[in-house]
Amino acid sequence: MKKTVGVIGCGAIGSVIMDYLSKSKIEHLSLKTIYDIDEKKLSRFRDKYGDSVSSSLEELVSKVDLVVESAHVSVVRPAVELCIKERKDILVLSVGGLLECEDLFPRAEKNRVRIMAPSGAVSGIDAVKAASIGKIKRITLTTYKPPRGLEGVAYIEKKGINLNLIREDTEVFFGTVREAVKHFPKNINVAATVSLAAGQMRNMYVRIIASPLLATNVHELKVEGDQGIVITRTENVPSPINPKTSFMAVLSALRRLSDYEGHGLLVGT
Ligand SMILES: NC(=O)c1ccc[n+]([C@@H]2O[C@H](COP(=O)([O-])OP(=O)(O)OC[C@H]3O[C@@H](n4cnc5c(N)ncnc54)[C@H](O)[C@@H]3O)[C@@H](O)[C@H]2O)c1
């Protein structure tokens, strides 16, 4: 029997997942219900998906087997708490929000609830997970962003960096992952995914480069440890719906859902 899915957040990632599931493109999953804080958006989707709209997080979680969070970091903790209580699995896209949920992980394990974070917009997560079995000496994540992707960041303004004057690649931040999370809360999903995969925040450094020639983010990941040195580079293209979201993140979520409870050939860690 197909498992039912509820999608929280009907934006660039959520709307593609909804479309994919409603067209039965994943054999073992079907879309049951959706929820979004934006009433206008929700009524648009009500026209498309009929009665499948929920009016609260609680209602959505109670109706389904599997929850997909593709909304906002602030939704992650309440959604994970509800899922643990109701013993429902959850796929979290706003991975940065999971950094505030570490106290919930043992409870999830006890209730046999899966909290899944897809690789998202960065490659090399399989290598980080494998390396974490041995000793990781240092992880460096270098993110190149178009300067407009950094607009409104208080840290940039405090440092007196004028994004409009940047004509060549310019380092605007280098620090620990904890500092990156503090200063770039809207840009932390990739750093959060890497650090959760490594199971540590120690010895992990984030460098952010404002790169005027780019249309969207590029991530370079370097993992040094017992396993040797792994270097990956991910050149993303923007999602057609939200240019701030990398299309790879959308595809990665679809793939994670396709592999949910997978049997037969399973490739990669
Ligand atoms: N893991 C990754 O690599 C990765 C990559 C890109 C984006 N993301 C994250 O995934 C999430 C979704 O990204 P997106 O591009 O689809 O965003 P989006 O802005 O296109 O869509 C988000 C949707 O969630 C809704 N929403 C916001 N707050 C909500 C709330 N409290 N309750 C219910 N709905 C709410 C919004 O109205 C919107 O429709 C974001 O948090 C984003 O940071 C993760």
Side-chain angles (χ1 to χ4, degrees), residues 7-16 35-39 41-42 45 57 69-76 78 92-97 117-122 185-191 193 217 219 239 241-250 252:
V7 177
I8 307 168
C10 312
I13 300 178
S15 64
V16 177
Y35 171 65
D36 197 293
I37 202 171
D38 181 339
E39 271 298 330
K41 200 174 265 187
L42 213 48
F45 284 113
L57 271 186
E69 178 288 319
S70 50
H72 189 262
V73 281
S74 62
V75 178
V76 174
V92 174
L93 267 301
S94 310
V95 183
S119 304
V122 68
K186 287 194 181 151
N187 298 291
I188 56 165
N189 289 309
V190 165
T193 305
N217 301 342
H219 302 290
S239 119
I241 300 172
N242 178 353
K244 283 189 175 169
T245 287
S246 303
F247 188 45
M248 179 80 162
V250 183
S252 160

Side-chain angles (χ1 to χ4, degrees), residues 105-249:
F105 299 163
R107 272 170 56 200
E109 216 172 313
K110 198 170 151 218
N111 281 11
R112 302 184 67 76
V113 165
R114 272 174 280 189
I115 305 169
M116 298 170 281
S119 304
V122 68
S123 60
I125 294 300
D126 52 346
V128 176
K129 283 168 69 181
S132 74
I133 299 292
K135 191 172 181 310
I136 294 177
K137 211 169 90 197
R138 185 181 170 100
I139 299 180
T140 314
L141 173 70
T142 303
T143 294
Y144 298 80
K145 294 178 89 62
R148 65 179 159 69
L150 294 162
E151 276 166 11
V153 175
Y155 175 89
I156 298 281
E157 281 162 21
K158 218 168 85 192
K159 290 274 164 187
I161 299 168
N162 187 340
L163 295 168
N164 295 322
L165 296 180
I166 290 181
R167 299 280 175 268
E168 57 187 25
D169 281 5
T170 305
E171 183 176 301
V172 294
F173 174 81
F174 181 83
T176 64
V177 68
R178 278 184 203 284
E179 288 163 342
V181 166
K182 185 171 155 214
H183 296 305
F184 298 86
K186 287 194 181 151
N187 298 291
I188 56 165
N189 289 309
V190 165
T193 305
V194 174
S195 72
L196 288 168
Q200 64 177 61
M201 277 203 185
R202 281 177 300 105
N203 304 331
M204 179 168 165
Y205 299 89
V206 176
R207 176 179 290 116
I208 298 178
I209 312 267
S211 187
L213 295 179
L214 289 180
T216 187
N217 301 342
V218 171
H219 302 290
E220 284 175 355
L221 181 65
K222 186 173 182 188
V223 186
E224 300 163 78
D226 284 353
Q227 88 294 343
I229 298 176
V230 172
I231 297 172
T232 73
R233 178 177 163 91
T234 313
E235 297 185 9
N236 285 298
V237 296
S239 119
I241 300 172
N242 178 353
K244 283 189 175 169
T245 287
S246 303
F247 188 45
M248 179 80 162

